[in-house]
Amino acid sequence: MTESCEETRARLEAWIDQALPEAEQRRLQEHLSGCAKCRSEEAELRGLATALGDLRLEPESPRMWARIRTAVLSEHCQANRIVPWVLAGTLLVARAAEWAVGFETALLLKPIECAVVLLLLARMKENIFSFAPEMPEAAFSISKTSTPG
Amino acid sequence: MDDQGILRHCQEGDAGKFELLVKAYERELMRHALMWLGHREDALDTVQETLMKAFRAIPRFRQGQPVYPWLYGILRNTCIDAARHRQHDRIQARAGWSDRECFSSRTADRGSELWEHLGKLEAEDREMLFLKHVDGRSYEEIAALLEIPAGTVMSRLSRARARLRSRMGAKV
Ligand SMILES: [Zn+2]
């Protein structure tokens, strides 16, 4: 006794999707060999899978980097600018307070001054190494384009 | 440099490395945007928006997290929003599903009939059919991409197929 039509229908899709264990495949095939209705269901499902599989979406390279490059790098610069400027602002306010009140903060301020200098140096280094080299436009138009038909 | 390495560099402040990620995935994102929207210009705008959102989300990217599912999740939400706006703007529903240059098929007539039918499906059904049959992904791969169980992939796919078949009058 092989499995019922109902059981077969439930397994057909998994079989066509290549996700049915081998033992179950054998039982399924046994049923199919003796059942025309399930064979026609199988043919329909396979036809659908083939038609879908024949569809191709092969867009040309959308060259997104050219579209977003400026926005990405300027947002990045803005974000990067904030930290040193906040520190520099703090420093300025503290120096002004020191001058106005005569409170001795020199020792306290040394680490902040160092941080500002380091951050500014780091930013300069980044500008030199990551922003300056430009990929020529042609370098990324080589990628494969669409294959119609 | 692998994807994780690229994202680590970006997180450490080297924004220029984002270019590598863009170039690695832009075509895949574009194909998936076309599948969602069926319209080239809309798809281009959506991929652009996706990449900008991804760039802004880099500080929150968890190292070790798979990269394409992360990007695809952002694209998916952006496409859903884009499709909603398209309807909201009183453009005839699915008016965008018109760009026949988006696809090709080995069997031209049947292919364009199928493309029309796909355009009338719910986007989630179309997504399933596309990921399985056009992309040729396994249940497990789809499950990983959508972050759902493989069993759910199977049942959603089966439902999507049933809906497509009923639209096509069970003729394929
Ligand atoms: Zn049967």
Side-chain angles (χ1 to χ4, degrees):
Chain A
M1 181 63 198
T2 63
E3 57 189 8
S4 72
C5 288
E6 209 175 317
E7 286 172 312
T8 303
R9 299 284 160 102
R11 290 192 171 98
L12 261 177
E13 288 182 76
W15 187 40
I16 287 165
D17 292 340
Q18 294 163 335
L20 195 69
E22 220 167 293
E24 293 185 42
Q25 282 179 36
R26 237 171 290 126
R27 283 170 57 210
L28 182 97
Q29 279 163 325
E30 263 172 49
H31 178 94
L32 287 176
S33 65
C35 179
K37 269 171 80 180
C38 286
R39 276 204 304 276
S40 104
E41 173 76 3
E42 184 208 344
E44 263 187 34
L45 283 169
R46 282 203 190 282
L48 184 70
T50 308
L52 285 165
D54 281 347
L55 280 182
R56 288 281 173 273
L57 286 172
E58 298 271 345
E60 288 173 28
S61 168
R63 293 164 162 260
M64 277 295 148
W65 184 243
R67 289 170 68 128
I68 64 169
R69 183 184 174 280
T70 313
V72 162
L73 296 186
S74 78
E75 275 191 26
H76 173 71
C77 285
Q78 276 164 22
N80 248 19
R81 254 176 216 137
I82 291 170
V83 178
W85 283 117
V86 165
L87 281 173
T90 315
L91 200 69
L92 209 70
V93 168
R95 280 279 186 236
E98 188 186 46
W99 176 76
V101 187
F103 174 62
E104 185 51 63
T105 58
L107 268 176
L108 209 73
L109 290 180
K110 282 286 175 252
I112 303 182
E113 276 170 346
C114 288
V116 170
V117 170
L118 283 174
L119 272 165
L120 289 174
L121 280 175
R123 260 184 50 73
M124 276 169 65
K125 171 187 162 283
E126 224 166 73
N127 284 340
I128 292 162
F129 289 113
S130 70
F131 294 167
E134 278 301 308
M135 283 286 272
E137 194 75 352
F140 56 90
S141 61
I142 304 163
S143 59
K144 191 174 141 289
T145 52
S146 65
T147 47
Chain B
M1 189 188 308
D2 67 357
D3 296 346
Q4 302 289 332
I6 292 171
L7 280 162
R8 196 170 47 246
H9 272 87
C10 291
Q11 284 178 332
E12 287 162 1
D14 187 356
K17 287 281 187 295
F18 191 59
E19 179 181 4
L20 300 174
L21 206 70
V22 170
K23 286 180 180 165
Y25 291 113
E26 60 181 359
R27 283 172 63 120
E28 190 72 350
L29 287 168
M30 190 62 194
R31 290 174 67 248
H32 286 146
L34 286 171
M35 163 201 83
W36 276 91
L37 302 167
H39 189 278
R40 191 187 303 275
E41 290 306 314
D42 287 358
L44 279 167
D45 290 346
T46 309
V47 172
Q48 179 172 348
E49 200 182 327
T50 299
L51 288 169
M52 285 310 296
K53 284 184 187 168
F55 178 72
R56 290 177 195 130
I58 285 176
R60 295 189 301 281
F61 178 83
R62 283 177 283 111
Q63 275 298 319
Q65 183 184 358
V67 173
Y68 192 68
W70 174 68
L71 284 172
Y72 185 76
I74 301 173
L75 177 81
R76 199 174 189 272
N77 289 333
T78 311
C79 284
I80 290 170
D81 286 348
R84 199 177 293 147
H85 281 137
R86 207 150 69 179
Q87 290 190 6
H88 194 256
D89 292 345
R90 300 206 141 268
I91 301 168
Q92 191 191 346
R94 297 189 183 90
W97 196 269
S98 56
D99 197 342
R100 280 162 182 268
E101 287 170 30
C102 284
F103 76 99
S104 63
S105 170
R106 250 173 279 166
T107 45
D109 287 351
R110 193 171 64 167
S112 80
E113 194 193 331
L114 187 59
W115 183 250
E116 290 298 321
H117 285 300
L118 282 169
K120 290 176 187 140
L121 288 180
E122 293 296 325
E124 284 78 4
D125 288 343
R126 190 163 62 237
E127 176 185 39
M128 276 295 162
L129 294 167
F130 191 93
L131 292 175
K132 179 75 200 113
H133 294 292
V134 184
D135 274 8
R137 290 171 201 260
S138 69
Y139 292 164
E140 287 72 23
E141 285 166 342
I142 299 173
L145 186 64
L146 302 182
E147 296 172 325
I148 53 176
T152 310
V153 172
M154 209 170 158
S155 59
R156 283 198 200 166
L157 187 57
S158 175
R159 196 177 56 199
R161 266 197 280 246
R163 287 179 179 153
L164 178 61
R165 285 173 78 190
S166 85
R167 283 206 175 268
M168 300 179 82
K171 271 186 294 176
V172 253

